[in-house]
Amino acid sequence: MTYKTVTLKRGKEESLERFHPWVFSGAIATADDTIEEGDLVTVYAHDGRLIGNGHSQIGSIAVRMLTFDDTPIDADFFTRRLNDAYKMRQSLGLQRDDNNAYRLVHGEGDFLPGLVVDIYGPTAVMQAHSPGMHFARDIIARALTMLPGVRNVYYKSETTLPYKAHLDPMNDYIIGGMETDEALENGLRFHVDWLKGQKTGFFVDQRENRRLLEQYSRGRKVLNMFCYTGGFSVYALRGGAELVHSVDSSAKAVHLTDDNVALNFAAEDTRHKSFAEDAFKFLDNMEKDAYDLIILDPPAFAKHKSALRNALVGYRRLNAKALEKIAPGSILFTFSCSQAVSKEQFRLAVFSAAAQTRRKVRILHQLTQPADHPINIYHPEGEYLKGLVLYVE
Ligand code: SAH
């Protein structure tokens, strides 16, 4: 494998020496003019010191670093990194008889920028966010099947790769095929639709937060807004909720939720109902005090920094609508998965919603992403999920 060369401007090696894994295009002094997107490159400081190896790409992030030394990026490299990721999940106790759904690789958080892998029983669902990882997909897939229990690798890059016609993104099995679409999370069963669903088919990042919700559900009337696959709904039902209503604007999501409820509870259990409706409309039309536990887990309102202001207004409006109608003595689980919105900004948006509705609100828990979505301490951008559990009088 030949490595192309990139040399940085004076001083631009500093963040890399603190292991931040991105080289921005403005930091580059000279680069081989034969570099193509996805090529392996070796990065040097202005004085010729070797910084490490990475994947090149077009855009403001020009290189994503994979090593901070001269270790080659080959099959052994991926095998070692995937083994490390697997060992870490094992030590977290995520691979158990009653749990086989978890994130195995969380990009920079597992020192593999551009790569995401979620495990659903015998199937690994892999997404490349960079051309370099896309080109390495076969090596990575083979390394994945060397891990205990992984027999199938589904690769899903049509929605994650930067748009470039010549990259030939694909959604297909690289190894194996459909064995089962069922995965277990904390003893609950879920159909996971990696073929057509969002992301890898399931939001494993809410696992611990769903478990917390379960503990608050007994005897409550629960509204699960933005339900997608119904994760929170199923936990609330197991937790002994009196009723659970699930809402999503996508009819397909509502079907997924109904299927997952049916997979876990007998047909005689009639506590659950679902609605294919817009969340804001549903909140406008619902009766006051109808629910005493509400979950708000919307899609990222800010996909980029440029959308931040509107996103904050969106979070405020959404939370205000829920706070206006929620019964006294209620619990509100409210989330933001926008990377561009900080913890503090989100909390301020929720604070504004509380002040606007003049409810007495206290914070019971401050939630974040679980341990299988680790944040590389040198890459704080990896923090994205934030949540508050509120007690509303
Ligand atoms: N809470 C879910 C994940 C939510 S993903 C879980 O635990 O898995 C966000 C969901 O919001 C998607 O299913 C999407 O269809 C839905 N959605 C997006 N805009 C919406 C709107 N305006 N009203 C209702 N649902 C919406």
Side-chain angles (χ1 to χ4, degrees), residues 283 296 314-326 332 349-350 352-354 356-357 359:
L283 289 168
L296 300 175
Y315 289 120
R316 178 174 53 74
R317 275 186 57 221
L318 179 67
N319 282 278
K321 281 185 193 294
L323 284 168
E324 242 165 53
K325 300 272 181 83
I326 201 167
L332 176 64
V350 178
S352 306
Q356 182 185 327
T357 53
R359 297 294 296 255

Side-chain angles (χ1 to χ4, degrees), residues 59-251:
S60 86
I61 302 173
V63 183
R64 289 171 188 257
M65 301 300 291
L66 298 168
T67 69
F68 288 97
D69 54 31
D70 61 357
T71 307
I73 313 302
D74 52 13
D76 282 349
F77 165 83
F78 284 109
T79 301
R80 277 195 310 275
R81 289 274 155 104
L82 293 176
N83 271 322
D84 289 348
Y86 182 78
K87 248 190 267 159
M88 201 260 247
R89 274 53 178 190
Q90 243 187 339
S91 70
L92 297 173
L94 290 172
Q95 178 75 58
R96 309 186 304 262
D97 285 350
D98 69 340
N99 195 89
N100 61 20
Y102 58 90
R103 178 151 294 192
L104 174 69
V105 177
H106 186 58
E108 284 82 354
D110 284 288
F111 311 109
L112 288 167
L115 184 68
V116 163
V117 181
D118 285 341
I119 299 289
Y120 300 114
T123 304
V125 182
M126 167 178 157
Q127 293 196 301
H129 291 258
S130 69
M133 287 298 181
H134 175 63
F135 294 142
R137 64 191 179 277
D138 291 324
I139 301 177
I140 300 170
R142 269 196 300 280
L144 280 169
T145 54
M146 289 185 334
L147 298 174
V150 178
R151 293 190 290 274
N152 315 297
V153 179
Y154 186 74
Y155 178 61
K156 191 173 181 189
S157 66
E158 281 176 2
T159 49
T160 55
L161 280 177
Y163 175 73
K164 278 279 169 312
H166 72 272
L167 287 178
D168 294 325
M170 61 180 263
N171 284 2
D172 205 353
Y173 290 94
I174 295 184
I175 295 174
M178 174 61 83
E179 208 174 313
T180 169
D181 74 344
E182 218 183 286
L184 276 168
E185 191 185 87
N186 290 320
L188 291 164
R189 297 161 67 191
F190 290 96
H191 288 296
V192 181
D193 186 359
W194 48 81
L195 303 181
K196 298 207 190 72
Q198 300 174 48
K199 306 268 170 87
T200 67
F202 194 67
F203 285 87
V204 280
D205 58 358
Q206 290 286 22
R207 183 184 55 249
E208 307 304 327
N209 302 331
R210 290 181 189 123
R211 192 143 67 163
L212 181 67
L213 170 100
E214 180 177 4
Q215 295 166 19
Y216 281 105
S217 300
R218 182 153 302 280
R220 290 202 180 257
K221 299 188 183 74
V222 178
L223 173 63
N224 180 13
M225 232 4 139
F226 310 95
C227 63
Y228 186 33
T229 56
F232 283 104
S233 306
V234 172
Y235 278 75
L237 289 165
R238 185 170 71 176
E242 185 184 313
L243 66 83
V244 177
H245 289 172
S246 305
V247 178
D248 199 290
S249 55
S250 145

Side-chain angles (χ1 to χ4, degrees), residues 297-338:
D297 184 25
F301 283 170
K303 296 246 161 40
H304 301 285
K305 278 266 182 252
S306 57
L308 182 61
R309 255 184 70 93
N310 284 342
L312 292 174
V313 172
Y315 289 120
R316 178 174 53 74
R317 275 186 57 221
L318 179 67
N319 282 278
K321 281 185 193 294
L323 284 168
E324 242 165 53
K325 300 272 181 83
I326 201 167
S330 290
I331 306 277
L332 176 64
F333 277 66
T334 182
F335 296 96
S336 161
C337 60
S338 300

